[in-house]
Amino acid sequence: MLPRDRRRIVVPQSEGTAVNRTPAVLIHGAWLHRSCWEGWAERFAAHGFAVCVPGWPGEAGTAAQARRDPGALRGLGLDALTVHYERIVRSFGTPPVLIGHSVGGLIVQQLIGAGLGRAAVALAPVPVAGVVPAEARPRPWPLVPAGSDRHQGFVSLTPSRFRHTVANTVGEEEAAKLFERHAVPAPHRLLADLGPHAVTVDTGNATRGPLLLVSGQEDRIVADAGTRSVYKLYGDSTAVTGLKQYADRGHSLVVDSGWPAVADHVLAWLAANGVQALPGKIGRTGPSPGPPES
């Protein structure tokens, strides 16, 4: 039997038999449950990708359950989380597309830098070690944001703090709904592993697959300037690296009401860089996205 994580796969409905779909693995970050990828999973499946949303090891089935009892994630650190996803990525017969948000954006950079995966997309990624000068980080990565609560190894955001730090570009009503549907506590051990200069990535690998970095210029968790600094470091590699900036978006850009535009840009960028979902017939697909802007 396949490991439990591998069985969480969404595929498009098809009029015929389609083989060798390109897998897409979606990796979420801190303070959000894997349910944040629901819309992305449906959209990518509709475009022919075999979508896998494994979640973190031991993650509860819903955000509400995780808020009531997050204990299974106590003590989870970055190394264990990265190994968890590396095993999943290696288990596919076809190299998958890797899409990560926040901490997940850092992990997909580690994996693609190590030569794993067909392509990678890092959305509002946590900064990597030694590549973000202090002057380019007006809002340092907040290991424990002011106003958050620590309890038994976890750091929780209150609804008001979630609105202020994660969903700051949407209205109060939408932020409250996002919190109820997707917000979860984050392991303190993991946040401690993400301090400045803590994590290295092979940015010079010239043989890796294409990489797209995406930032929101109103992001209060991961500064847009930091993502731009990371992008500049990749200039030492001849591998394809793209940067997309959204002027009016915050850290919730993968899950708030503006997520379809981000997802469509990612789909278009992948297609423009030769990353196809399926070489054969696709029965039912969604609308084709327009060309990427950058």
Side-chain angles (χ1 to χ4, degrees), residues 4 14 51-52 57 62 94-95 98 114 140-141 153 163 171 176 182 198 213 230 244:
R4 186 175 180 180
S14 176
V51 183
C52 179
T62 68
T94 300
L98 311 175
W141 167 249
R163 166 87 197 287
H182 305 293
L213 302 171
V230 175
K244 173 62 177 177

Side-chain angles (χ1 to χ4, degrees), residues 88-184:
I88 292 171
V89 170
R90 289 185 181 276
S91 71
F92 288 97
T94 300
V97 172
L98 311 175
I99 301 175
H101 174 240
S102 192
V103 176
L106 175 60
I107 291 174
V108 302
Q109 289 180 80
Q110 291 179 297
L111 296 178
I112 199 75
L116 300 176
R118 173 70 179 83
V121 178
L123 301 136
V126 169
V128 303
V131 301
V132 186
E135 62 269 22
R137 300 173 66 239
R139 297 186 294 272
W141 167 249
L143 292 182
V144 182
S148 60
D149 298 321
R150 293 192 198 186
H151 182 64
Q152 296 184 351
F154 292 92
V155 177
S156 299
L157 299 180
T158 64
S160 61
R161 178 52 55 175
F162 180 85
R163 166 87 197 287
H164 177 74
T165 59
V166 177
N168 57 296
T169 60
V170 303
E172 290 186 11
E173 183 177 356
E174 181 177 356
K177 290 180 179 179
L178 292 175
F179 180 89
E180 182 64 25
R181 178 63 177 156
H182 305 293
V184 297

